Each structure stands twice: as C-alpha cells, then as structure tokens.
Amino acid sequence: MSGPSNSAVSRRAFVVGTAAAAGTAALAGPLAPAASAAGFGWSDDGSNYVVDTGANLVFKVSKTNGDLTSLVYKGTEYQGYGGKNSHVESGLGTSTVTLAQSGSTILVSVAHGTLRHYYAARSGEDNIYLWTDKADSSVTATRYIVRVKAGLFLNDEPDSYTYTTSTVEASDVFAKSDGQTRSKHYSQHRVIDYDYIGWTTGGVGLWIVRSNHEKASGGPFYRSLLRHQSADGGGLYEILYYGENQTESERFGLQGPYVIAFTDGGAPSSSLYHGTLTTPWADSLGISGYVADSGRGRVAGVGISGRDTAYTYTVGLANSAAQYWGTARASDGYYSMSRVLPGVYTLTLYKGELAVYSTQVTVSAGATTTLNTITVPSSNDPSNASAVWRIGDWDGTPSGFKNADLMTYAHPSDVRASAWTGNVVIGSGSETSAFPCHLWKDVNSGLLVHFRLTAAQAAAAHTLRIGVTTAYANGRPQVTVNGTWTSAVPSPPTQPSTRSLTVGSYRGNNYTFTYSIPASAWLTDTSQYNVLKIDVVSGSGTTGYLSAGTAIDAIDLLA
C-alpha cells in the first residue's frame, strides 16, 4: 500500500505569534501524569532490557551497545532493516547500558565514551522519548536512525529508492527506469517546515517527531536526511549534526527529546511536537546536560517594520552553543521564542531566507527579554534598490527560477527537469522562469541575457549584482558584456565544501557578487540588444553536474 504524500507526513505545527515552527514555544501546560497501565514494566532477557509501555508497544535495548533491537507494536515486529538495529549514528559499539524506573517512567541510559544516549518510556503511551548528549567529536556525526523491516510501509516518495538500483551519482543517488531520480537526500523539507516524518498504512503509523534542534547546526532552513525506503527496508532519521552542505560548526550538548511514535494510522499527537511538548517528568531523571524550563528564558519582539509583506519573515537566535527560531506574525511582525538557554545570541531577521537585519540579544534564566519594534533599513533589502532590470527577487532562495522546486527532491539529470541551457530576454515576461536555478561550469556556463538600454542608460556606468545561495567546488560567476568587456574573476566566498546542488540543497551562505560595468561596454544603438554572458569559473570540481557550480538568488542591473 502506498504511503501518503510528503505534505501529509511532514506537516508544520504553526501557531501565529509563537515559535511553534522552531520547537521553542511552551504553548500548553505540562502533560497530565500518565496513568499506570496494565503490563507497564521491564524485564531482562539476558541480552536486552525489555520495556513494556503498558499500551501497544514493547521494545528492547541491547545491554551491550545500546541499540534498539526490537520494536513490537500490536504484536508486529517493525525493527529490522537489512539485519541492522536502530541506533545512534551507525551503532556506538560496546557501551555501558543501565535501566532505572521512577514511577510511571522507565529510563534506559547508554554511556559510550563521552557520549550519553537515553530511551524513556511512559506508562500507557506508544512512544519512546530519546535524548542524545554529545560532548565532543569522538562520534563523527550525530543522528538516530530507526531501521524498519521491508514491506511494512511501501512507498515511492522522492526520498525513496525502493524501485531502483541504477546509480546516478556516488552510491546514494539512483535513477528509475522512467528517468526519475531517487535518493535519501531528497527530503524536500527544511527543518522549519516539519514537526514529524514517517509512514502510514492507514492502520498503523510510525513516526519520528523531531526535537527543537537547539544543539543542531545549520539554522532553520537546513535540509538533511529524513527518511528513505530501499529493498532492505526503511529508515527514519533524526539528524542532529550532518556535514552535507553544512554552513555551521558542530554544536555539542544534549539534543532532545525526539520521539519514536506509533499511532493507529493518523498523525502523531500534537502534544508531542517540539513546540508543545513539555517534559517536567524528565526533570529529575538525571539526564546529562538536561536543563529544565526553570533554567531557560524567553525572547519576545513587539514587531517588525519595513517588511515586504509578500514574504514570510523568520527570526533566528544563534551562538556557538545553541540555536532557535520563530516565525514573525504576518500582520505586524510579532515573534517569540521560549525555552531558550541563557546566553548572548545573535538575532538575525530573514526575509524568506535572506538575512536583512541582525543585533545582539541576552537571554537570562526565568526571564523574558522583550525587544522593541525592529525597523529594517531600506538599504538592507537589496530588492529596494532601483534597477534597470531584475531576474528573480532577493529572498535568499532560487525560488521562481527554472527547475528550482524540482531540485529539492531530484537530481539535475532527472527526466522531469527542463533543459538547463537556454538564454534569457529581458522584457519577455519569462525572465525568471527561463533562467536556470543552478549554473555549472561543465553544463550551462556561458548563459546569455539579452536586454535593451535607453540612450540615457547606455551613457552611464552601471552595477551588476548576482546573488547566490551556495556554490559547489568554488564555482562563481564571471561576466562578459557584448563580447568586449570582461570582469575580473571574483574571489570565492566561503561556502560548504561538500556536495550541494545534486543532493537537494541550495542552502549555503548567501553572497552577492558585484560588477562595475563602464559606460563604454554598452551598445549606443538603443534598438539593439546588449548581451550579458555569465560563465562559471573555478579550478575545482570534476565534470557534468559535479563540475563547479552555483545556485542563483537574483540578478539585476542597477539604475
């Protein structure tokens, strides 16, 4: 049976005026204490701790390495993807595993070197609450993967490769016989876009409800692995740190709770979402790095003026230790973020995904930091500059450009992609939709933009701006005007060093290249088209879609 669409399994819990999309707002009081359920308890089978939630879920944790070795819901075993267990990263190896029960809560603790991991069960619930405390880089990445037996949740979503074994790129991008591509990287969703991910048959739903990602990296717009299906089974991920197209250094500390949740086929309870979940029952469990709500603060902003109301504005807090974000209210820009660890943060305001304002904010435990109305200076938004012509708009994304939507869930070689080549004529009405969202040195370098200038415009020098959102292998644009004037090769800005354009992500570091073009470069005959040639230059990269490349935010010629 096919699973639901991505929109059905990755819904946002968004509450106006709160940071629900960030997982930081306390929107409800604590969950009622779980009633004692018949069968709730634990046993030791010699190799595993066996935990019965007293509902429909029984799970086992290896006493040797802390792996989740069994996941039985209503009598059916779900654990077992390719003979592998569910675990942190690809398995921690030999660990010290202990169990303690405190009333209606059972906590299994896993110690591996400096890393601590926890599983908690609550009486009468079909949920497993997880925390991971990573103190250093001794474990290379941080993820938890739930490995699910084959055949239980069949689907063919963009992040699935159940039906193909033909490799397009590396060992993780595949092509079906119809030319469509699949990869576990193609999640489509930014962190801010989803509360949970998983599958349903209509009668059973298995989900991971994500944490607030306060110790993760990459910010609200980061894209990473969420789930996949293969011939061996399926995987559901909570990615806490992943290096693919990563823009930030790794943060260390306690992540969680995130939740493995079973349902009768519907969405997981909204009480589990990172924006509404409260866990006072965990305050006294002794979880390493745990900070109760009483040790956290809140940030609230009166509003934002100078906004472009056509765009959603996101407010982010970040320092080297933690990150948070919330969505500004459309009517006035009000925002709030709760459960914030004490510290000094950089507050960044994003129009779409483009940073347009920043300031410093101090958060104290048990207190609310209230900020007056933020006024975004007109000059901070590049869209406000007067332009002779503009392709796209300045929002920090390639949105609207050719193939932009497809590239979050497909490889550039996918049969559904429009031709990556093709020139653009200003005034045609299709400037943005005809301009490729990505440019590569070995694919479509040398793209041409045709435009006319008035006599007054042709008599003056102009500044050309090309905004990019990320780059692969130091790809950056060099421009030529009318075959007579060529810019210098610009220096490459700092960008992630891993794959990006081929694994569903355009999110790197937004950067604007500027080119001062002299009046002598323009044609004086106003009936003729000037021709702007954009080449991608770099000494790095290989060939095809792995040659040096870049993703486009906007291009304009200033008046």
Side-chain angles (χ1 to χ4, degrees), residues 321-342:
Q323 61 172 8
Y324 307 89
W325 54 83
T327 303
R329 191 160 60 194
S331 60
D332 56 8
Y334 170 83
Y335 57 91
S336 72
M337 287 162 280
S338 300
R339 296 177 179 165
V340 178
L341 292 171

Side-chain angles (χ1 to χ4, degrees), residues 40 176 341:
F40 176 71
K176 294 177 61 179
L341 292 171

Side-chain angles (χ1 to χ4, degrees), residues 24 32 64 67 90 111 134 205 252 254 332 336 358 394 450 490 502 534 551:
T24 55
T64 301
D67 285 3
S90 295
K134 184 178 179 183
F252 299 108
L254 183 68
D332 56 8
S336 72
S358 67
W394 297 88
H450 300 266
T502 60
I534 304 175

Side-chain angles (χ1 to χ4, degrees), residues 402-474:
K402 183 163 65 174
N403 295 327
D405 289 343
L406 180 66
M407 286 303 95
T408 63
Y409 60 92
H411 190 268
S413 65
D414 194 289
V415 68
R416 292 167 291 178
S418 299
W420 287 103
T421 54
N423 301 321
V424 174
V425 178
I426 300 299
S428 65
S430 60
E431 297 92 337
T432 302
S433 61
F435 197 103
C437 64
H438 298 163
L439 300 177
W440 290 272
K441 183 178 181 180
D442 200 37
V443 175
N444 55 355
S445 184
L447 188 141
L448 304 179
V449 178
H450 300 266
F451 59 96
R452 290 191 177 101
L453 295 176
T454 66
Q457 292 167 341
H462 295 276
T463 296
L464 176 76
R465 303 186 299 184
I466 301 179
V468 302
T469 66
T470 194
Y472 176 69
N474 287 329

Side-chain angles (χ1 to χ4, degrees), residues 177-254:
S177 59
D178 63 3
Q180 292 190 14
T181 53
R182 296 288 187 267
S183 175
K184 62 185 178 182
H185 296 288
Y186 298 150
S187 67
Q188 288 188 273
H189 303 290
R190 308 169 303 174
V191 177
I192 196 174
D193 292 332
Y194 72 96
D195 292 311
Y196 57 89
I197 195 76
W199 301 293
T200 179
T201 64
V204 175
L206 172 55
W207 318 94
I208 280 189
V209 184
R210 76 165 175 85
S211 69
N212 70 349
H213 279 220
E214 70 181 3
K215 295 289 186 177
S217 298
F221 313 124
Y222 189 65
R223 298 172 188 267
S224 191
L225 286 69
L226 295 181
R227 63 180 182 172
H228 76 272
Q229 287 271 15
S230 72
D232 295 326
L236 295 178
Y237 297 89
E238 166 75 338
I239 297 293
L240 302 173
Y241 179 77
Y242 194 63
E244 198 85 76
N245 208 37
Q246 180 59 254
T247 58
E248 293 186 299
S249 298
E250 184 173 10
R251 293 181 173 93
F252 299 108
L254 183 68

